[in-house]
Structures are given as C-alpha cells and as structure tokens.
Amino acid sequence: MITATAGYKDTAFTLVRSVQTTRGGNLWYQIASYDADINGAWIPGNLISSSDVVAGTNSSATGSSTTSTSSSTTSSSAVSSATLQVATAAGRTDYFNGNVLNASYSNNSDLQAAYTQGYNAAKVDAQKARADAIADVKDGMALNKSYSGDIGVQRAYASMFSNLTIARNQGIQDCTNGKLSNANYSLDADLQAAYQAGYDSVAATNNVYQLGISFTVDGTDQSGAFWDALNQTQKDALVAAAQNDKFPQTRTEITSADVQKVLEDANIITITFNGRTIKFANADPVTVTPSSTVTQVPVVAHYVTQ
C-alpha cells in the first residue's frame, strides 16, 4: 500500500484496476510497475489527479494508463509485463482465497487472459498439492512444512494434510471405542477414505467374526448326526478351532476357504459318518453384518460321501 509518492519520484506505473471502500467510499487503484517495490501495490485515488493522465487506453474497468509520480507525462502503450504479472498474481490470489473466477476482471483481453491463466494455474497447483498431501498421509509421512515456496500452494497442501489427519484419527478413535464405521463421515471422498483407512488400521487387528458351523452330507442337513459321529477329541478340536479362528472386523464376507481353515485346524476335513467316509466339499459364502464385538456367523459346510 502506498500512502505517499515522494519516495517514488519519476517512477512510472500503470493503473490496473480500482476498488471503492464500502465504508468511506474512498477510491483506490492497484498499480503495476517495473519497480518491484511497488508492483501490485495499491495507491489512494486522491494521490493521482486527472491532470496526471494525458492519454490512456481502456484496458481495464478503470482504464490502464502509464503514469509518473513527478510529472503529468502519460503514454498509451501495450500492456507491460509488470501489469500482466499483477493480473496473473490477482488470479492466483482469487483462487487461493476461494473466490470464483472473475470473468470481468478487466476489459483488456491481455489482462483478462493473464488473470485467467493465473487462476487456472493456481487450481492445477492446488490439486497437485492436495494429491501429494493424500499420498503423504497415506504413507504415514509428517507434514512437509517446506512443500512449496508459494504461500497459496503451501496452504492448500497443509490444509488438506490437516483435514486428512483429523479424518484418519477419527476413524482410529471410533474403532478403538467399539463404534461401527461411519459411512457418512464426510461427503468428500478423500476425507471419507482417510477416515476408513484409520478405522481399518485398528479393525484389521480386531478379530470379531466367529463361525457357527452347520453340516450337510450329500445335500441333506445332518448337523446333529455329524456332531454325534465325532469322537471327543474331534469335538474339542472343533470347538477350539471355532473360537481361535476368528476373522477380522474388516471382513465383509466369510468364504468357503475360511470354513475350510477351521475344519482343517480341527482335523475333520475327512471323517467316518455312518460307516462311510465323507469329505468336506465346500461352504456357502456368507455376507457378514458389520460388528465391532465378537459375533457368531452361521455357515453351512457341505460334505460328500467318498
């Protein structure tokens, strides 16, 4: 912000755009200059008189005129690179501040193009920053405080990293507290995924699904007779295997292979039934009801006569 022009004697600059304060009604101009100290700065309108402008082009909503603080020499010329830089920076600033693209930023096509380019470039940079934040959180990395020298990009990265970390930690906390996974934690797919990843990191070690097995022989339910056909050692082994071979909370289905593992651990894949040898063939897959506590899942093991 420039409040006095004495320190910039003979410094030429271009008026880029203007704003009027809502409270005092004061007019301010944003300027562009090859002098880096004032390029992009704002100057009160009362420091620039109409006599300072002797010629100009309608390059923005306020006009774009090259002006000097020491005289009234003004020239109409092509948009300077400094002016374009200000427009590009304005586009980036608008995006990172959460503003929609200003299609009426300037009446000058070059300035509008520079503004739009800056806005869209910031959008691409922010998308990459968010993607990198997602990868870093997923990989268990710490916040990269030096991710980018661009303040807007760094904030986009840090904000996403923070939100993802909060979501992941909430998932961990919910599972630790015995709550079911919250499928509606967030409407944002990335945050929902981070929450679920946190939840599953605990659930994967939380074995809650225990099998309650019924038996068929050659297509007929023989659960009672099957149990009676087992000797005491086999009965004890089956009970122990069913209790020990629990499945993690992350499972959504019990498969035939899961049932086979319990039967193998009980050493009853093949048994003698009514004087004949029968062998486990398969089991029907079962979709499990989500649970955070030990739950018995009923399954049916099918045996066939050999």
Side-chain angles (χ1 to χ4, degrees):
M1 180 183 296
I2 299 173
T3 57
T5 59
Y8 302 101
K9 181 178 177 61
D10 296 325
T11 301
F13 58 83
T14 301
L15 304 182
V16 178
R17 59 175 172 168
S18 66
V19 295
Q20 192 167 24
T21 59
T22 56
R23 182 171 297 179
N26 299 319
L27 186 65
W28 287 76
Y29 291 102
Q30 188 178 33
I31 65 175
S33 173
Y34 287 107
D35 186 332
D37 290 339
I38 64 173
N39 186 40
W42 291 85
I43 186 170
N46 60 13
L47 294 184
I48 303 175
S49 67
S50 58
S51 62
D52 290 327
V53 182
V54 296
T57 60
N58 251 347
S59 62
S60 70
T62 61
S64 178
S65 304
T66 302
T67 307
S68 170
T69 58
S70 62
S71 70
S72 59
T73 57
T74 309
S75 62
S76 174
S77 60
V79 178
S80 68
S81 61
T83 308
L84 293 173
Q85 290 173 9
V86 170
T88 300
R92 292 185 68 84
T93 299
D94 274 359
Y95 178 82
F96 286 122
N97 285 343
N99 298 325
V100 297
L101 187 146
N102 184 357
S104 301
Y105 170 80
S106 174
N107 290 332
N108 181 279
S109 60
D110 290 336
L111 289 179
Q112 183 64 46
Y115 167 88
T116 302
Q117 182 181 26
Y119 189 97
N120 290 334
K123 184 177 181 179
V124 171
D125 291 345
Q127 289 173 337
K128 182 180 185 304
R130 295 186 184 104
D132 288 342
I134 291 171
D136 284 355
V137 171
K138 184 176 181 180
D139 293 341
M141 304 290 288
L143 173 70
N144 185 351
K145 296 181 179 180
S146 301
Y147 173 77
S148 175
D150 184 295
I151 294 177
V153 175
Q154 180 66 36
R155 286 177 177 171
Y157 167 85
S159 176
M160 190 64 178
F161 190 99
S162 175
N163 291 337
L164 290 166
T165 301
I166 291 172
R168 179 179 175 82
N169 288 342
Q170 186 61 57
I172 291 173
Q173 192 65 45
D174 282 358
C175 191
T176 301
N177 290 344
K179 295 181 179 180
L180 293 178
S181 176
N182 184 357
N184 298 311
Y185 172 78
S186 176
L187 294 176
D188 184 292
D190 293 322
L191 295 184
Q192 183 66 43
Y195 168 88
Q196 193 62 50
Y199 190 96
D200 288 348
S201 68
V202 177
T205 62
N206 190 17
N207 295 324
V208 299
Y209 296 115
Q210 178 178 319
L211 304 191
I213 308 175
S214 299
F215 301 89
T216 69
V217 177
D218 297 330
T220 302
D221 181 19
Q222 297 283 6
S223 297
F226 185 96
W227 178 258
D228 292 339
L230 300 177
N231 60 42
Q232 192 59 49
T233 299
Q234 291 172 322
K235 290 178 180 178
D236 292 343
L238 177 57
V239 171
Q243 292 177 341
N244 295 331
D245 291 348
K246 295 186 182 72
F247 298 91
Q249 192 177 347
T250 50
R251 295 293 290 271
T252 58
E253 183 182 68
I254 298 299
T255 67
S256 180
D258 295 330
V259 177
Q260 181 174 339
K261 181 181 186 306
V262 174
L263 299 177
E264 285 176 344
D265 289 347
N267 197 27
I268 58 170
I269 286 293
T270 301
I271 68 167
T272 299
F273 181 81
N274 291 339
R276 297 172 298 168
T277 299
I278 61 173
K279 184 176 182 179
F280 172 75
N282 56 61
D284 301 324
V286 176
T287 299
V288 299
T289 301
S291 176
S292 59
T293 58
V294 175
T295 300
Q296 189 172 87
V297 181
V299 295
V300 180
H302 303 295
Y303 279 71
V304 293
T305 301
Q306 297 298 291

